[in-house]
Amino acid sequence: MNSEYRIDTARKVVSFYWNEPPSMARVREIVEAAITDPEFHPGMNFLWDRKPGLPSEANIEYLREAVYYLQVMAREIGPHSWAIVTHSPSDFGKARMLEAMTDNGNVIVRAFESRGDAEEWLRNPVRHDPQIVHFPARSPYLMHPGFP
């Protein structure tokens, strides 16, 4: 499995790129490498993206382990946010489950179908509130390709 991370200090974002769905052990390994990198500073947020391909086989145990890890990490580095870019309906649903499961913690997780939307949200990450529209749920450019 080929994975890497990149730290953008100007935007205060750590980006993870995955070719295949990673195991939680692999996620922890790469995240730990990123947060111990000299360029990393508390207050940075995270962008998880994976190339389109087979959907993740993550089950509820994987999601629970991910939530636990994110909460432990928040105690170590402080409150932060994760934007998860998905490329299939099932992965989007799993990322939305992570949103719901982290609703009352120190980590804000949001699922996106577009990397551009995820990067825009990371400029001012807020929790999802179905009553308040902080960020468009769908990109008007995807819904209406001729939109100026």
Side-chain angles (χ1 to χ4, degrees), residues 78 81 83 94 119 136:
S81 301
K94 291 170 187 176
E119 290 176 348

Side-chain angles (χ1 to χ4, degrees), residues 2 33 44 51 53 66 74 84 92 95 114 139:
N2 182 17
M44 288 186 159
K51 288 184 178 180
I84 302 174
F92 185 76
S114 155
S139 171

Side-chain angles (χ1 to χ4, degrees), residues 2 9 17 33 44 76 83 86 98-99 109 113 131 143-144 148:
N2 182 17
T9 54
Y17 302 97
M44 288 186 159
E76 293 176 13
T86 64
L98 283 174
E99 276 187 40
V109 176
E113 295 175 307
Q131 304 300 317
M143 292 171 40
H144 306 285

